[in-house]
Amino acid sequence: MMRKRLGVFLIFIGLLFLIKPSFDFETIMLGLNYILAHDWPIAFIFVGLLLVWPQKGSPHKRKRV
């Protein structure tokens, strides 16, 4: 699971730098601060999706009789 999240993160960062490679760290931090200050309820949506999304390989699989 951690490996998948890291992969998604790296894909996002790679696309970000492909679209606008002149970003510096300060510009990225200003954007993140703006998003966190104004759009923080989106975090509830993501947490809810993680809780609702079915997990692969759950231990409660049914056995066929």
Side-chain angles (χ1 to χ4, degrees):
M1 185 66 155
M2 187 67 161
R3 186 175 177 177
K4 184 178 178 181
R5 288 183 186 167
L6 181 61
V8 170
F9 177 74
L10 290 175
I11 289 170
F12 177 74
I13 294 297
L15 288 173
L16 182 72
F17 283 123
L18 277 174
I19 293 169
K20 189 157 184 178
S22 62
F23 271 152
D24 60 345
F25 185 71
E26 207 168 300
T27 306
I28 294 172
M29 292 310 293
L30 285 173
L32 286 176
N33 284 336
Y34 178 81
I35 290 170
L36 288 174
H38 296 285
D39 300 324
W40 60 269
I42 293 174
F44 289 128
I45 295 170
F46 288 127
V47 170
L49 286 173
L50 285 174
L51 292 174
V52 172
W53 201 276
Q55 299 292 322
K56 292 183 179 178
S58 64
H60 301 291
K61 289 185 178 179
R62 289 184 171 189
K63 293 182 180 179
R64 292 188 182 192
V65 181

